[in-house]
Amino acid sequence: MKHICVLPGDGIGPEVVESAVAVLKAVTDDLQFEYAEIGQSALKKVGSTMPDETLELLRKCDSSLFGAITSSESLGEASPVLRFRKELDLFANLRPVKNYVNLAGRPSIDVVIVRENTEGLYTQNEQYDDKGVTTLRRVTRAASERIVRFAIDYSLKNARKSICCVHKSNVLRASDGLFVSIFRELMASEGRVLEAREQLVDSAAMKLVNSPHEFDVIVTLNLYGDILSDVAAGTAGGLGFAPSGNIGRVYSVFEPAHGSAPDIAGEGAANPTATILAGAMMLDHLKMRNEAVSIRQAVKSTYDSGHLTTDIGGRHGSRSFTDHVIGRLKRGDS
Ligand code: GGG
């Protein structure tokens, strides 16, 4: 039995997590779910957006499923998402994007973005002076080596053919330059059987819209990975289709790439696909491969039979879409 820490969070978080947990329960009896608080809802209930008990449960469980939080506007408060990534040393953010639904005029896409998850512009190191603010951006050799190695290892284990290093080293010559030089070094030694490619981040964004088939695996710095995965998700139908995994040597937390969408929270209108697919990624990570494949097939088959969610012009909200996915899993006709 694997223990899963579940963090529904704010806004549409609880709705999409409820869907994903229902799908996971339909595919296996080998998971035990334990719930904890995070985000603004936690702040209201227990006075902190990231209570110590939540971090403790994240550490105790075999893996975790997180929904979304609404970011605090208060300058002093550290983001709970950045906090759990840091405290649990979740150094790799894995963001696969592929088509689960064929939308007119959208090209086909099957890209995996491997995003460095611990440094870059996400260290919350901002210094004020009388003229403005300076934000420090850190790129270290150790973190760059670790993420490039992760991308190589992932590509080899998942029969991927090429890795493209996305950067802006023509402007950020020292920091992005370090990242690119480490990529070249490690691809020449540990990733020799893979094709090594390089692309500036601005043209990579354009290509993810116009010719996404040019990409297989992308390895990139924290901010670029965050932005490019939303661009890629747009090509595949929107943020409702973008799952992600925060992975470290010991711990892991899976979540939809999207936020809490407070404007539609509580209406049952949110597309739960990204969270359901994040649940499948969690099963991959727990080596429950067959169950993960069944979930992905059930989602694809639900879309293929014309059951579309409202975000892409269909009529299904979270609950009825989830019922269709579960129906397919139970009948085994996915
Ligand atoms: N699942 C990712 C997540 O919740 N990220 C935090 C975030 O983007 N918050 C902004 C918001 O939801 O308004």
Side-chain angles (χ1 to χ4, degrees), residues 128-170:
Y128 293 82
D129 57 44
D130 52 349
K131 295 200 184 74
V133 183
T134 304
T135 301
L136 294 178
R137 177 176 180 274
R138 182 117 178 103
V139 177
T140 64
R141 173 165 273 279
S144 305
E145 281 178 357
R146 192 156 76 149
I147 197 67
V148 172
R149 282 211 167 92
F150 181 95
I152 292 173
D153 186 53
Y154 175 87
S155 302
L156 295 174
K157 285 189 177 137
N158 291 277
R160 292 281 173 166
K161 303 267 179 300
S162 82
I163 307 183
C164 182
C165 176
V166 171
H167 60 92
K168 189 73 183 172
S169 72
N170 56 340

Coordinates of all heavy atoms in Angstrom, one line a residue, residues 128-170:
Y128 N 15.4 45.9 -2.3 CA 14.9 47.2 -2.6 C 15.9 48.3 -2.4 O 16.8 48.1 -1.5 CB 13.7 47.5 -1.6 CG 12.5 46.6 -1.9 CD1 12.5 45.3 -1.4 CD2 11.4 47.1 -2.7 CE1 11.4 44.5 -1.6 CE2 10.4 46.3 -2.9 CZ 10.3 45.0 -2.4 OH 9.3 44.2 -2.7
D129 N 15.9 49.3 -3.2 CA 16.7 50.5 -2.9 C 15.8 51.7 -3.2 O 14.6 51.6 -3.6 CB 18.0 50.5 -3.6 CG 17.9 50.4 -5.1 OD1 17.0 51.1 -5.6 OD2 18.6 49.6 -5.7
D130 N 16.4 53.0 -3.2 CA 15.5 54.1 -3.4 C 15.0 54.3 -4.8 O 14.1 55.0 -5.1 CB 16.2 55.4 -2.9 CG 17.6 55.6 -3.4 OD1 18.1 54.6 -4.1 OD2 18.1 56.7 -3.3
K131 N 15.7 53.6 -5.8 CA 15.3 53.7 -7.2 C 14.4 52.6 -7.7 O 13.7 52.7 -8.7 CB 16.6 53.7 -8.0 CG 17.5 54.9 -7.8 CD 18.4 55.1 -9.0 CE 19.4 56.2 -8.8 NZ 20.4 55.9 -7.8
G132 N 14.4 51.4 -7.0 CA 13.6 50.3 -7.4 C 14.0 49.0 -6.7 O 14.2 49.0 -5.5
V133 N 14.0 48.0 -7.5 CA 14.2 46.6 -6.9 C 15.2 45.9 -7.8 O 15.1 45.9 -9.0 CB 12.9 45.8 -6.9 CG1 13.1 44.5 -6.2 CG2 11.8 46.6 -6.2
T134 N 16.1 45.1 -7.2 CA 17.0 44.2 -7.9 C 16.6 42.8 -7.6 O 16.5 42.5 -6.4 CB 18.4 44.5 -7.6 OG1 18.7 45.9 -7.8 CG2 19.4 43.6 -8.4
T135 N 16.3 42.0 -8.6 CA 16.0 40.6 -8.3 C 17.3 39.8 -8.7 O 17.7 39.8 -9.8 CB 14.8 40.1 -9.1 OG1 13.7 41.0 -8.8 CG2 14.5 38.7 -8.9
L136 N 17.8 39.0 -7.8 CA 19.0 38.2 -8.0 C 18.6 36.9 -8.7 O 17.7 36.2 -8.2 CB 19.8 38.0 -6.8 CG 20.4 39.3 -6.1 CD1 21.1 38.9 -4.9 CD2 21.3 40.0 -7.1
R137 N 19.3 36.6 -9.7 CA 19.1 35.3 -10.4 C 20.3 34.4 -10.3 O 21.4 34.8 -10.7 CB 18.8 35.7 -11.9 CG 18.6 34.5 -12.8 CD 18.3 35.0 -14.2 NE 18.0 34.0 -15.2 CZ 19.0 33.4 -15.9 NH1 20.2 33.7 -15.7 NH2 18.7 32.5 -16.8
R138 N 20.1 33.2 -9.8 CA 21.3 32.4 -9.5 C 21.2 31.2 -10.4 O 20.2 30.5 -10.5 CB 21.1 31.9 -8.0 CG 22.2 31.1 -7.5 CD 23.0 31.8 -6.4 NE 24.0 31.0 -5.9 CZ 25.3 31.1 -6.2 NH1 25.7 32.1 -7.0 NH2 26.2 30.3 -5.7
V139 N 22.4 30.9 -11.0 CA 22.6 29.7 -11.8 C 23.8 29.0 -11.3 O 24.9 29.6 -11.4 CB 22.7 30.0 -13.3 CG1 22.9 28.7 -14.1 CG2 21.5 30.7 -13.8
T140 N 23.7 27.8 -10.7 CA 24.9 27.1 -10.2 C 25.2 25.9 -11.1 O 24.4 25.4 -11.7 CB 24.7 26.6 -8.7 OG1 23.7 25.6 -8.8 CG2 24.3 27.7 -7.8
R141 N 26.5 25.6 -11.0 CA 27.0 24.4 -11.7 C 26.3 23.1 -11.2 O 25.8 22.3 -12.0 CB 28.5 24.3 -11.5 CG 29.2 23.1 -12.1 CD 30.7 23.2 -12.2 NE 31.1 23.8 -13.4 CZ 31.2 23.1 -14.6 NH1 30.9 21.9 -14.6 NH2 31.5 23.8 -15.6
A142 N 26.2 23.0 -9.9 CA 25.6 21.8 -9.3 C 24.1 21.6 -9.7 O 23.7 20.5 -10.2 CB 25.6 21.9 -7.8
A143 N 23.3 22.7 -9.7 CA 21.9 22.6 -10.0 C 21.8 22.3 -11.5 O 20.9 21.6 -12.0 CB 21.1 23.8 -9.6
S144 N 22.6 22.9 -12.3 CA 22.6 22.8 -13.8 C 22.9 21.3 -14.2 O 22.3 20.7 -15.0 CB 23.5 23.8 -14.5 OG 23.2 25.1 -14.1
E145 N 24.0 20.8 -13.5 CA 24.4 19.4 -13.8 C 23.3 18.5 -13.5 O 23.0 17.5 -14.2 CB 25.7 19.1 -13.0 CG 26.9 19.6 -13.6 CD 28.2 19.3 -12.8 OE1 28.1 18.7 -11.7 OE2 29.3 19.7 -13.3
R146 N 22.7 18.7 -12.3 CA 21.7 17.8 -11.8 C 20.5 17.8 -12.7 O 19.9 16.7 -13.0 CB 21.3 18.3 -10.4 CG 20.5 17.5 -9.6 CD 20.6 17.8 -8.1 NE 19.9 19.0 -7.7 CZ 19.4 19.2 -6.5 NH1 19.6 18.2 -5.6 NH2 18.8 20.3 -6.2
I147 N 20.1 18.9 -13.3 CA 18.8 18.9 -14.1 C 19.2 18.4 -15.5 O 18.3 17.7 -16.1 CB 18.2 20.4 -14.2 CG1 16.8 20.3 -14.7 CG2 19.0 21.3 -15.0 CD1 15.8 19.5 -13.8
V148 N 20.4 18.7 -16.0 CA 20.7 18.1 -17.3 C 20.8 16.6 -17.2 O 20.3 15.8 -18.1 CB 22.0 18.7 -17.9 CG1 22.5 18.0 -19.1 CG2 21.8 20.2 -18.2
R149 N 21.4 16.1 -16.1 CA 21.5 14.6 -15.9 C 20.1 14.0 -15.8 O 19.9 12.9 -16.4 CB 22.3 14.3 -14.6 CG 23.7 14.4 -14.7 CD 24.5 13.4 -13.8 NE 25.8 13.4 -14.2 CZ 26.8 14.2 -13.7 NH1 26.5 15.0 -12.7 NH2 28.0 14.1 -14.1
F150 N 19.2 14.7 -15.1 CA 17.8 14.2 -15.0 C 17.2 14.1 -16.4 O 16.5 13.1 -16.7 CB 17.0 15.2 -14.1 CG 15.6 14.7 -13.9 CD1 15.2 14.0 -12.8 CD2 14.6 15.0 -14.8 CE1 13.9 13.6 -12.6 CE2 13.3 14.6 -14.7 CZ 12.9 13.9 -13.5
A151 N 17.4 15.1 -17.2 CA 16.8 15.1 -18.6 C 17.4 14.0 -19.4 O 16.7 13.3 -20.2 CB 17.1 16.5 -19.3
I152 N 18.7 13.7 -19.3 CA 19.3 12.7 -20.1 C 18.8 11.3 -19.6 O 18.3 10.5 -20.4 CB 20.9 12.7 -19.9 CG1 21.4 13.9 -20.6 CG2 21.5 11.4 -20.4 CD1 22.9 14.2 -20.3
D153 N 18.7 11.1 -18.3 CA 18.2 9.9 -17.7 C 16.8 9.7 -18.1 O 16.4 8.6 -18.6 CB 18.4 10.0 -16.2 CG 18.0 8.7 -15.5 OD1 18.6 7.7 -15.9 OD2 17.1 8.7 -14.6
Y154 N 15.9 10.7 -18.0 CA 14.5 10.6 -18.4 C 14.4 10.2 -19.9 O 13.6 9.3 -20.3 CB 13.8 11.9 -18.2 CG 12.4 11.9 -18.6 CD1 11.4 11.4 -17.8 CD2 12.1 12.3 -20.0 CE1 10.1 11.3 -18.3 CE2 10.8 12.2 -20.4 CZ 9.8 11.7 -19.6 OH 8.5 11.6 -20.0
S155 N 15.2 10.9 -20.7 CA 15.1 10.6 -22.2 C 15.5 9.2 -22.5 O 14.9 8.5 -23.3 CB 16.1 11.6 -22.9 OG 15.7 12.9 -22.6
L156 N 16.6 8.7 -21.9 CA 17.1 7.3 -22.1 C 16.0 6.3 -21.7 O 15.7 5.4 -22.4 CB 18.4 7.1 -21.4 CG 19.6 7.9 -22.0 CD1 20.8 7.7 -21.1 CD2 19.9 7.6 -23.4
K157 N 15.4 6.5 -20.5 CA 14.5 5.6 -19.9 C 13.1 5.6 -20.7 O 12.4 4.7 -20.6 CB 14.2 5.9 -18.5 CG 15.3 5.4 -17.6 CD 15.0 5.6 -16.1 CE 16.1 5.1 -15.2 NZ 16.3 5.9 -14.1
N158 N 12.8 6.7 -21.4 CA 11.5 6.9 -22.0 C 11.6 6.9 -23.5 O 10.7 7.4 -24.2 CB 10.8 8.1 -21.5 CG 10.4 7.9 -20.1 OD1 9.3 7.4 -19.8 ND2 11.2 8.4 -19.1
A159 N 12.7 6.3 -24.1 CA 12.9 6.2 -25.5 C 12.7 7.5 -26.3 O 12.2 7.5 -27.4 CB 12.0 5.1 -26.1
R160 N 13.2 8.6 -25.7 CA 13.2 9.9 -26.3 C 14.5 10.0 -27.2 O 15.5 9.4 -26.8 CB 13.1 11.0 -25.3 CG 11.8 11.0 -24.6 CD 10.7 11.7 -25.5 NE 9.4 11.6 -24.9 CZ 8.4 12.4 -25.4 NH1 8.6 13.2 -26.4 NH2 7.2 12.3 -24.9
K161 N 14.4 10.8 -28.2 CA 15.6 10.8 -29.2 C 16.5 12.0 -29.0 O 17.6 11.9 -29.3 CB 15.0 10.8 -30.6 CG 14.1 9.6 -30.9 CD 14.9 8.5 -31.5 CE 14.1 7.2 -31.9 NZ 13.5 6.6 -30.7
S162 N 15.9 13.2 -28.7 CA 16.7 14.4 -28.7 C 16.4 15.3 -27.5 O 15.3 15.3 -27.0 CB 16.6 15.2 -30.0 OG 15.4 16.0 -29.9
I163 N 17.4 16.0 -27.0 CA 17.2 17.0 -26.0 C 17.6 18.4 -26.5 O 18.7 18.5 -27.1 CB 18.0 16.7 -24.7 CG1 17.7 15.3 -24.2 CG2 17.6 17.7 -23.6 CD1 18.4 14.9 -22.9
C164 N 16.7 19.3 -26.4 CA 17.0 20.7 -26.8 C 17.3 21.6 -25.5 O 16.4 21.6 -24.7 CB 15.9 21.3 -27.6 SG 16.2 22.9 -28.2
C165 N 18.4 22.2 -25.5 CA 18.7 23.1 -24.3 C 18.2 24.5 -24.7 O 18.6 25.0 -25.7 CB 20.2 23.1 -24.1 SG 20.7 24.3 -22.9
V166 N 17.2 25.0 -24.0 CA 16.7 26.3 -24.3 C 17.2 27.3 -23.3 O 17.2 27.1 -22.1 CB 15.1 26.2 -24.2 CG1 14.5 27.6 -24.3 CG2 14.6 25.4 -25.3
H167 N 17.7 28.4 -23.8 CA 18.5 29.4 -23.0 C 18.4 30.8 -23.7 O 17.8 31.0 -24.7 CB 19.9 28.9 -23.0 CG 20.5 28.8 -24.3 ND1 21.2 29.9 -24.9 CD2 20.5 27.8 -25.3 CE1 21.6 29.5 -26.1 NE2 21.2 28.3 -26.4
K168 N 19.1 31.7 -23.1 CA 19.3 33.1 -23.7 C 20.7 33.5 -23.5 O 21.0 34.6 -22.9 CB 18.3 34.0 -23.0 CG 18.1 35.4 -23.7 CD 17.4 35.4 -25.0 CE 17.3 36.7 -25.6 NZ 16.8 36.8 -27.0
S169 N 21.6 32.7 -23.9 CA 23.1 32.9 -23.6 C 23.7 34.0 -24.5 O 24.8 34.5 -24.2 CB 23.9 31.6 -23.7 OG 24.0 31.3 -25.0
N170 N 22.9 34.5 -25.5 CA 23.4 35.6 -26.3 C 23.3 36.9 -25.5 O 24.0 37.9 -25.8 CB 22.7 35.7 -27.6 CG 21.2 35.8 -27.5 OD1 20.6 35.4 -26.5 ND2 20.5 36.3 -28.5

